[in-house]
Amino acid sequence: EKRYLAEMRQSDLWLALRSTFRLFEADGPGAQLGLKPLAGDLFHPDAIGDLGAAQLANDTLLTCLRSLGLYEHPQNRQLIRVNYGALNVEEFGSVYEGLLEYEPAVDSSGPVPGFGFRRGDERSATGSHYTPDDLVQPLIKHALDHLIAERLKAQNPAQALLDLRVADIACGSGHILLAAARRIATELAIVQTGEEQPAPAAYRSALREVIRTCIYGVDLNPLAVELCKVALWLEAHNPGEPLNFLDHHIKCGNAIVGFVRREEVDDGVPDAAFAKLPGDDAEISKTVRARNKRERSERNQQKLVFTAERTDAIAAVHDQWKALEALPERTPAEIAAKKQAFEAFSGSGAALLLKQLASIPIAQFYLPRSAEQRATLITDSSFRDLWAGHASPHGPAAVAAFAVAARKRCFHWFLEFPEIIQRGGFDCILGNPPYLGDKKLSSTYGHEFCNWVRYGFAPAGLSDLVVYFLRRIYTLLRPGGFTAFITTNSIKDGDVRKDGLEHVVAQGGSISFAVRGVTWPGRANLVVSLVALHRGAWRGPYLLDGQEVPTISPFFEAETAGGTPTDLADNTAKMIVGSIFLGDGFLLTHAQAAELVRQNPANREVIQPLINGQELNNAPDQQPGRSIINFRDWPLSRASQYPALLAIVEKSVKPGRLMQADQRARALWWQFKRPTEDLYRTLASLPHCFAAAATTKYLNFSATPTNQVFTHALYVFTTDRWDLFAVVQSTLHEVWARKYSGALKQDLRYSPS
């Protein structure tokens, strides 16, 4: 037993495993054993990071290998061996989704530090989900297949197929890119061999060529980028040949925080970059914004004049990229040379400097406007001198901007993929871009990000993250190109539609294919839509929910009449959303309310029943389940006339409110965050009103008393007239509401505005 324990404390097995990996390196000893080197980064010592210099005890390594090789059946607890031979490359996506569920954590609280995992929120926060193949194939069919059919008619169809440029700008682990590569490779192998069923070797050779030439991917998450490269490596690997070089086509970056074309950078630093955000010094924001506005006005749209050195540097980036693309990848030595050339191109010299300089205008959106950071702000005149080459980027301002650019992973397409922008864009962009509603955008990505997208994708509000991806995708398409993607089913609703599909259609795009609602096949509790767009006038058949139709509107309807409705001034403030109280300390049970009224009958003026959407929709008697303390819009002096109630609020609500970013919520802690007093003043003279849940499967208005507080989950129709009730309860109104409001899964999100 002592001998066994001593062996487990040794690290010879870890050394043996690392030696095994070395067998596949280009300069390793594998050649002496007849092993062909794989090259690439998959088995490189750098691939395991700090573990490369670590010593792992045998017991630790064996425990890891056991965990990787065996799993416990959830019901009978029997150990089952993992069959890695049956693992499809597409299933890397489910691995990626699972990894996003956890974050590594080091526990230093005890005498010996411990390593483990804690539940993370990155997947839910960023809307990342593995895309099932059932949803991927329609994207291929209704976008990429049109282009393939066109290329097969060319004089040299093989060359025409290899000239396709296909991207996914939120590629995740690369499942959609794999499907696209396979589809192109199938046709390429048929063309190259002249056989309807090419041999596996011919297909794999074609697939390797397609992945090397045609496929591009970008993702914000470095883990996703690495998994994508591994998936493509494994798919494109031919026995006896080294792995492809993919770093120049599969990149880590923020696809929507950056510039597509150089002319966007030439425009300088926008005034919007210095808008006051929460936490900024108001006076500094005002001063810097005014200076920037003055500088932009003084240049009066003058053409930016570049130095000869800067002009040469910009031109050299494209030439260097073309030279890099042309480098061969037949042997490990050639791949190593290509990798070295790519690192020299992207990590230093003109390309790196231009990326950093191009990020300066965006960095101004993120840098805080404070006394300490004032020296780091760069206004329009200074930036134009830097960008044109008339000044050198030195000092704290340049350093701060470059640091922001690196942290936010700014991605400038004309510098990252210069050949693509030079040729007019990608032929096809496929994907499942993330979607995240307006209320979560600022909490997930920050007010600075929201300020940037409002400017960078104007005209657009904060409707949904997918809007910015749609707009970026369309900008990156060449004329005649296609995009097809999976998206939230609210893409056709409200502001999401107006900011996204309507804008793209107004720019000349055509919706050629759409499926309005598909239940997600996997674990995610989602209802999604599928949509394909053509950049230009579409001459082929339009397919809506599987049926051929004359056209498809941004509403996903088979007609274009209608458009955006006009607001009626007479209906202003007729339908009002309920109150946001912000603080559970306001809430009372009915028993607590009765006791407080018994102690002091005057408390009856402040304590009211509270009704929400759940009670209105699900309770047979539609009775409020709780009471609430409501000081309306009173000053603190008047609220102090009810000391027992104010004491409850001060103890249970005030501490939380003082932590809020909202200035009003902090200052008026005894009031609801949004008291909605205009609603209650309107209701004061009415015996009853009508209310409906803001999110509901069925749109139903109910007559309800007016002497109660309505939560923000309800819309209140401020009338007691039954003839008007008949209007809003009609099928005509419901059809109208469902067309112009939003949706949550299959539920209506009623939006009377």
Side-chain angles (χ1 to χ4, degrees):
E1 183 178 347
K2 289 182 179 178
R3 181 179 177 185
Y4 172 78
L5 291 174
E7 288 179 355
M8 288 300 98
R9 286 194 292 268
Q10 300 298 318
S11 57
D12 56 302
L13 295 181
W14 172 241
L15 296 173
L17 182 63
R18 289 176 56 194
S19 297
T20 302
F21 285 168
R22 280 208 64 213
L23 295 175
F24 298 96
E25 292 180 22
D27 57 348
Q32 300 175 19
L33 301 175
L35 295 176
K36 295 287 186 180
L38 287 173
D41 294 330
L42 191 56
F43 292 97
H44 195 276
D46 293 344
I48 55 176
D50 293 340
L51 287 176
Q55 295 293 327
L56 297 186
N58 291 346
D59 58 345
T60 300
L61 178 60
L62 291 174
T63 301
C64 291
L65 293 176
R66 181 181 176 84
S67 298
L68 287 169
L70 299 170
Y71 70 96
E72 191 177 85
H73 193 281
Q75 295 176 337
N76 59 26
R77 304 181 69 83
Q78 180 181 354
L79 284 177
I80 302 172
R81 186 174 298 280
V82 178
N83 183 7
Y84 282 100
L87 180 67
N88 291 326
V89 176
E90 294 96 327
E91 291 175 306
F92 273 53
S94 57
V95 172
Y96 171 51
E97 186 176 331
L99 289 172
L100 289 180
E101 297 276 7
Y102 297 95
E103 296 174 350
V106 176
D107 182 6
S108 303
S109 58
V112 178
F115 176 80
F117 295 92
R118 62 170 177 262
R119 277 278 178 184
D121 60 359
E122 184 167 354
R123 183 172 69 84
S124 60
T126 58
S128 300
H129 295 286
Y130 163 57
T131 310
D133 198 58
D134 291 350
L135 300 182
V136 174
Q137 290 308 315
L139 308 184
I140 302 289
K141 179 179 179 181
H142 295 285
L144 183 58
D145 277 4
H146 294 310
L147 294 165
I148 289 174
E150 179 186 287
R151 299 302 172 101
L152 289 174
K153 299 173 185 175
Q155 188 174 1
N156 185 344
Q159 186 57 46
L161 287 170
L162 286 173
D163 192 53
L164 284 170
R165 297 295 180 264
V166 182
D168 184 347
I169 69 170
C171 64
S173 59
H175 178 200
I176 295 175
L177 289 176
L178 270 177
R182 288 170 176 163
R183 181 69 189 91
I184 300 171
T186 298
E187 295 298 333
L188 180 62
I190 292 172
V191 169
Q192 289 176 333
T193 62
E195 302 170 355
E196 289 189 10
Q197 296 290 333
Y203 168 74
R204 292 191 70 85
S205 176
L207 184 59
R208 179 184 176 90
E209 214 171 345
V210 168
I211 288 176
R212 183 180 70 84
T213 308
C214 306
I215 300 302
Y216 292 74
V218 178
D219 200 279
L220 180 61
N221 190 307
L223 173 61
V225 172
E226 292 307 311
L227 282 174
C228 180
K229 287 193 289 188
V230 169
L232 293 172
W233 275 331
L234 295 179
E235 191 72 11
H237 175 57
N238 277 330
E241 294 185 21
L243 299 175
N244 284 62
F245 178 73
L246 298 172
D247 290 11
H248 62 319
H249 279 198
I250 310 299
K251 293 190 172 187
C252 185
N254 193 322
I256 58 176
V257 178
F259 296 114
V260 174
R261 292 176 175 81
R262 198 202 81 186
E263 292 75 18
E264 299 168 35
V265 189
D266 294 352
D267 191 48
V269 180
D271 298 334
F274 301 109
K276 184 187 178 304
L277 299 176
D280 284 344
D281 184 296
E283 189 58 34
I284 291 177
S285 293
K286 181 180 177 181
T287 303
V288 176
R289 185 183 175 94
R291 186 173 83 209
N292 196 76
K293 190 172 184 178
R294 183 178 65 253
E295 290 174 357
R296 291 180 64 85
S297 175
E298 287 172 351
R299 64 178 167 89
N300 195 25
Q301 304 301 318
Q302 291 176 359
K303 183 175 174 61
L304 188 58
V305 180
F306 289 84
T307 63
E309 291 80 6
R310 182 69 81 237
T311 302
D312 291 344
I314 293 172
V317 167
H318 186 254
D319 294 339
Q320 290 168 3
W321 177 268
K322 285 199 296 187
L324 178 66
E325 282 276 79
L327 289 175
E329 301 177 25
R330 297 180 298 265
T331 67
E334 288 177 346
I335 290 175
K338 192 165 188 175
K339 181 180 178 66
Q340 186 177 6
F342 171 72
E343 290 176 347
F345 167 74
S346 59
S348 61
L352 176 62
L353 178 61
L354 288 172
K355 290 176 192 177
Q356 292 176 327
L357 291 175
S359 298
I360 289 176
I362 296 174
Q364 307 315 303
F365 284 84
Y366 287 90
L367 290 167
R369 266 69 75 179
S370 64
E372 298 80 11
Q373 297 291 327
R374 186 168 187 169
T376 65
L377 302 176
I378 298 176
T379 51
D380 184 73
S381 178
S382 299
F383 166 70
R384 286 168 68 82
D385 284 343
L386 291 168
W387 180 237
H390 299 293
S392 299
H394 299 300
V399 170
F402 297 166
V404 167
R407 191 167 67 250
K408 299 300 174 183
R409 300 194 174 106
C410 293
F411 198 86
H412 306 298
W413 294 85
F414 72 100
L415 294 170
E416 299 288 354
F417 299 132
E419 174 246 351
I420 296 296
I421 302 305
Q422 189 84 2
R423 60 185 274 155
F426 291 101
D427 298 289
C428 185
I429 300 178
L430 306 168
N432 177 18
Y435 23 99
L436 199 66
D438 56 340
K439 294 180 180 177
K440 292 185 178 179
L441 281 175
S442 60
S443 59
T444 304
Y445 296 107
H447 294 286
E448 297 85 358
F449 170 83
C450 295
N451 192 29
W452 155 252
V453 293
R454 270 193 294 255
Y455 163 77
F457 297 90
L462 293 178
S463 48
D464 197 291
L465 185 62
V466 74
V467 165
Y468 314 122
F469 275 91
L470 168 57
R471 298 270 292 274
R472 179 52 45 93
I473 285 169
Y474 190 76
T475 305
L476 288 167
L477 282 179
R478 67 161 179 82
F482 284 88
T483 178
F485 53 93
I486 303 161
T487 181
T488 168
N489 65 333
S490 64
I491 192 74
K492 60 178 174 46
D493 299 327
D495 288 341
V496 182
R497 178 196 67 250
K498 186 178 79 171
D499 293 342
L501 289 173
E502 283 191 6
H503 179 87
V504 166
V505 169
Q507 297 296 310
S510 305
I511 304 171
S512 58
F513 161 81
V515 179
R516 282 178 275 208
V518 180
T519 302
W520 190 271
R523 290 185 301 157
N525 186 20
L526 295 171
V527 175
V528 297
S529 293
L530 308 180
V531 58
L533 282 155
H534 176 64
R535 182 158 186 172
W538 175 235
R539 306 300 181 190
Y542 293 86
L543 290 175
L544 178 61
D545 291 338
Q547 301 295 317
E548 190 167 335
V549 294
T551 188
I552 302 176
S553 76
F555 293 92
F556 288 175
E557 293 180 345
E559 47 82 30
T560 56
T564 303
T566 302
D567 292 339
L568 298 179
D570 284 353
N571 283 341
T572 303
K574 291 287 178 62
M575 193 80 70
I576 303 176
V577 71
S579 305
I580 298 176
F581 50 86
L582 189 61
D584 288 347
F586 287 112
L587 298 173
L588 303 169
T589 65
H590 290 324
Q592 290 171 328
E595 176 60 23
L596 287 165
V597 170
R598 189 192 65 78
Q599 294 173 7
N600 182 0
N603 287 341
R604 190 184 304 276
E605 185 183 3
V606 178
I607 298 175
Q608 295 176 275
L610 175 77
I611 188 164
N612 59 30
Q614 185 80 5
E615 292 153 355
L616 195 74
N617 273 359
N618 295 337
D621 58 359
Q622 297 183 317
Q623 291 298 307
R626 293 169 294 181
S627 295
I628 193 165
I629 299 170
N630 182 11
F631 288 121
R632 300 173 176 83
D633 57 356
W634 297 348
L636 185 58
S637 57
R638 184 171 178 184
S640 300
Q641 297 174 19
Y642 305 87
L645 303 182
L646 186 63
I648 293 172
V649 173
E650 187 168 13
K651 178 182 178 181
S652 304
V653 176
K654 184 178 179 180
R657 292 286 281 272
L658 294 180
M659 303 291 289
Q660 292 291 318
D662 187 292
Q663 186 174 355
R664 186 191 180 284
R666 292 197 309 270
L668 305 178
W669 53 265
W670 64 94
Q671 296 179 12
F672 294 169
K673 179 184 178 182
R674 193 174 70 195
T676 327
E677 276 303 291
D678 54 338
L679 167 62
Y680 302 111
R681 278 192 288 268
T682 305
L683 297 179
S685 61
L686 300 178
H688 66 263
C689 61
F690 304 100
T695 301
T696 178
K697 190 173 183 179
Y698 306 103
L699 180 60
N700 287 306
F701 282 85
S702 299
T704 185
T706 56
N707 63 339
Q708 53 191 354
V709 172
F710 299 88
T711 73
H712 68 284
L714 296 171
Y715 274 102
V716 183
F717 191 18
T718 57
T719 181
D720 61 347
R721 287 174 51 180
W722 288 97
D723 58 332
L724 297 183
F725 164 79
V727 172
V728 295
Q729 194 54 56
S730 68
T731 301
L732 183 64
H733 176 65
E734 177 162 6
V735 171
W736 174 271
R738 288 188 182 276
K739 178 171 182 175
Y740 291 108
S741 297
L744 181 65
K745 299 175 189 172
Q746 300 288 36
D747 292 345
L748 168 71
R749 289 195 297 194
Y750 187 59
S751 303
S753 60

